[in-house]
Amino acid sequence: TLPVDNNQIFSKSSGMSFAFSDLLKNDLPWLSLGSIRGTWGEVPQSINAYQYPGSLYNQGAIQWNGNFLQGTNSGAVDPKIRGAVSTEKTAGIDLAFLKSRIGFSATYREKLIKDFPTNAIFSLASGTSTLSTNLGEMDFKGMEYTLNLRPVWSKNIKWEINGTYAK
């Protein structure tokens, strides 16, 4: 759910690759493919519908003596709360040899999710138990390796083996 006066989400991304094997096909005929690649992207995320300021009362699904129970939220919501921003970067290399019978790929990946909404806990003696605001941050980094093998590749029979390891 987005506020009425600011209800847009603008995502940005770019990517690039360079196939260096095209420059070396006469010098290295056993190299079927050689390329390097990189990407970058930023995606804002909207917040939960029930986290946006303005929800003073909540109505429960449980009834008491035939009446719905209604309560006042003891938590507060930062009026400037917004969704998180996720930024991801990748860089990699792809290699294939012997008419693509053997292939290898390696990718480095970074992802940062910043300012995601979370609850800061307070003593209820302060008048509020929690404050929903932008506090959270998560960071992911890792490598991914892929090996491709084609032991049999003919007109009638195609056998391909792929394996991936990620850390």
Side-chain angles (χ1 to χ4, degrees):
T1 302
L2 297 170
V4 176
D5 59 340
N6 185 13
N7 59 3
Q8 303 175 47
I9 293 181
F10 180 62
S11 299
K12 303 171 270 200
S13 66
S14 65
M16 186 177 283
S17 67
F18 175 66
F20 59 86
S21 57
D22 290 345
L23 301 175
L24 303 172
K25 61 184 167 188
N26 293 332
D27 298 330
L28 304 173
W30 46 267
L31 182 65
S32 308
L33 170 71
S35 69
I36 55 173
R37 56 189 155 72
T39 62
W40 173 87
E42 183 178 273
V43 180
Q45 301 166 352
S46 65
I47 61 173
N48 187 332
Y50 300 104
Q51 282 184 304
Y52 193 74
S55 176
L56 183 58
Y57 299 102
N58 56 16
Q59 184 160 334
I62 301 171
Q63 294 184 7
W64 180 75
N65 200 18
N67 297 310
F68 285 102
L69 297 176
Q70 190 171 13
T72 302
N73 191 351
S74 67
V77 178
D78 182 354
K80 295 182 182 177
I81 196 168
R82 63 194 181 287
V85 176
S86 175
T87 305
E88 188 164 350
K89 303 175 214 171
T90 64
I93 186 167
D94 300 307
L95 300 170
F97 308 97
L98 306 174
K99 297 183 182 178
S100 298
R101 293 286 187 142
I102 301 169
F104 175 77
S105 177
T107 304
Y108 174 72
R109 189 176 313 275
E110 278 185 17
K111 184 174 185 179
L112 175 66
I113 303 173
K114 196 171 185 175
D115 290 335
F116 65 84
T118 190
N119 291 328
I121 300 172
F122 295 98
S123 168
L124 196 51
S126 69
T128 185
S129 59
T130 60
L131 174 66
S132 296
T133 188
N134 296 93
L135 289 176
E137 184 171 308
M138 289 189 288
D139 189 13
F140 306 95
K141 294 180 182 176
M143 285 294 297
E144 183 177 298
Y145 305 97
T146 303
L147 179 65
N148 307 313
L149 301 173
R150 292 180 175 175
V152 178
W153 201 262
S154 66
K155 183 178 177 182
N156 297 324
I157 298 173
K158 296 182 188 231
W159 179 23
E160 191 168 359
I161 302 169
N162 297 309
T164 301
Y165 172 75
K167 184 175 179 181

